[in-house]
Amino acid sequence: MGTTKTALIGVAALWTLLLLRSHAQADPCVRYTRAHSPFATCFDAGNRLFLAGGSDGFGAGLRVRHGMGFDDAPDLTWKLEHHVLEAKVGGMSERYSGLIYSGRYLRHARDGHIVVPLGTPRKIFVPFDIGAEGQLGSFRQTRAGEALEIGVVRVAGLFDFSRTATFRRRIAIGIVASWDMRLDLDSRRPSENLVAPLSLAHLSGYSESKDGLTLGSLECTAGREWSSSKGWRWRSSARASVERVLLALNDHPLSMVIEASASTPERELRATLGARFSL
């Protein structure tokens, strides 16, 4: 009898421990209805296939982000973000626009530093992470113009002062090299080439709430570029956006997106309002 009682007490204690551990490790992004049916309360804004619609047209795109670590360097992480095959058609000011690929690659180290190997090697700690951005094959045609605007390639080196291992914050500055062109659709030949040989400065910021319900971004670029028809000239652009998840359909978030942009020398100012449904 004593052995049976001891076994029952042991089983009860083990069951209690498992319940406590399960409760302690419960997913904070999952809640339950009274019928014990789970539903999501957090969303990953960086990993989604989405459909969009609004004043800037209707479109779709794919976004993926992930980290990459190393067994021999546990304090080092690469944060990788990819935007693939995004396109929109039928906007109020654009006939269509999109891109083939855009990526951001940031190297985060817990004790960020550089090594000066000249003479006696020295290790100097720095207050930023380093990385790069790349964009290939963007395109856009406005309703006011006949030329197709093509972003052939864009590359930027970045210094990220947010120094975080997560994707939720970014405060980065950098320098940009780019090649754009305007293509005459009648002759199917470039009517103008635009080249910035590391002559554009770039500033970007990004913030995302922990639950993924609210996110905002700001990007500014300014500097000199060379035009095949007008020579060297000043170029600047700025874009800001805010996205807020309003509801979720079967755990797929539906969000409202507000964007504003401005650029020179085109003297273009735009504001758009739309919705985005993530699959």
Side-chain angles (χ1 to χ4, degrees):
M1 183 66 181
T3 303
T4 303
K5 185 176 181 180
T6 302
L8 290 175
I9 293 175
V11 171
L14 180 60
W15 182 254
T16 303
L17 180 62
L18 290 175
L19 286 178
L20 291 175
R21 185 176 180 182
S22 176
H23 178 72
Q25 295 181 349
D27 190 344
C29 291
V30 177
R31 293 189 179 182
Y32 296 85
T33 65
R34 293 182 178 179
H36 302 288
S37 176
F39 61 94
T41 59
C42 303
F43 305 98
D44 187 353
N47 289 288
R48 53 179 169 170
L49 173 65
F50 67 87
L51 304 175
S55 60
D56 55 346
F58 298 90
L62 174 64
R63 297 184 179 181
V64 179
R65 67 184 181 188
H66 58 97
M68 185 171 63
F70 305 90
D71 294 336
D72 57 345
D75 294 337
L76 175 63
T77 304
W78 277 93
K79 300 184 296 181
L80 310 176
E81 300 178 74
H82 316 276
H83 295 188
V84 185
L85 299 177
E86 296 189 5
K88 291 181 180 179
V89 296
M92 295 179 63
S93 60
E94 294 179 346
R95 290 175 177 160
Y96 52 84
S97 64
L99 63 86
I100 297 175
Y101 175 79
S102 176
R104 182 179 298 108
Y105 327 101
L106 291 174
R107 179 187 183 275
H108 171 71
R110 186 177 301 175
D111 61 340
H113 63 274
I114 59 175
V115 175
V116 181
L118 301 176
T120 302
R122 291 180 295 170
K123 181 179 181 180
I124 302 175
F125 291 93
V126 294
F128 51 77
D129 294 330
I130 61 173
E133 288 182 345
Q135 182 173 292
L136 178 66
S138 66
F139 56 90
R140 173 175 177 258
Q141 186 183 27
T142 64
R143 293 191 178 277
E146 295 298 329
L148 174 63
E149 302 174 10
I150 301 176
V152 181
V153 64
R154 178 183 183 275
V155 180
L158 297 179
F159 299 95
D160 182 13
F161 289 87
S162 65
R163 282 195 48 75
T164 174
T166 73
F167 291 93
R168 292 197 298 268
R169 295 192 309 276
R170 185 179 71 256
I171 304 174
I173 62 173
I175 187 169
V176 178
S178 65
W179 172 28
D180 303 326
M181 69 168 61
R182 288 187 170 88
L183 183 66
D184 188 288
L185 297 179
D186 294 331
S187 63
R188 296 184 179 180
R189 293 182 179 181
S191 59
E192 184 179 20
N193 282 283
L194 303 167
V195 180
L198 296 175
S199 55
L200 296 174
H202 176 72
L203 169 66
S204 67
Y206 177 82
S207 180
E208 178 184 323
S209 63
K210 189 175 181 180
D211 54 16
L213 296 179
T214 306
L215 51 137
S217 66
L218 172 66
E219 295 184 4
C220 301
T221 303
R224 303 273 290 176
E225 72 173 4
W226 179 82
S227 166
S228 60
S229 61
K230 301 176 183 177
W232 286 97
R233 63 181 184 177
W234 175 265
R235 181 175 185 82
S236 64
S237 63
R239 183 178 68 86
S241 67
V242 176
E243 181 174 354
R244 172 67 184 182
V245 174
L246 301 178
L247 54 89
L249 304 176
N250 293 329
D251 293 339
H252 298 297
L254 176 65
S255 57
M256 179 180 67
V257 183
I258 302 174
E259 294 186 349
S261 63
S263 63
T264 60
E266 295 86 356
R267 296 182 180 180
E268 183 181 48
L269 179 63
R270 296 194 306 157
T272 62
L273 174 64
R276 187 174 290 162
F277 182 62
S278 301
L279 304 176

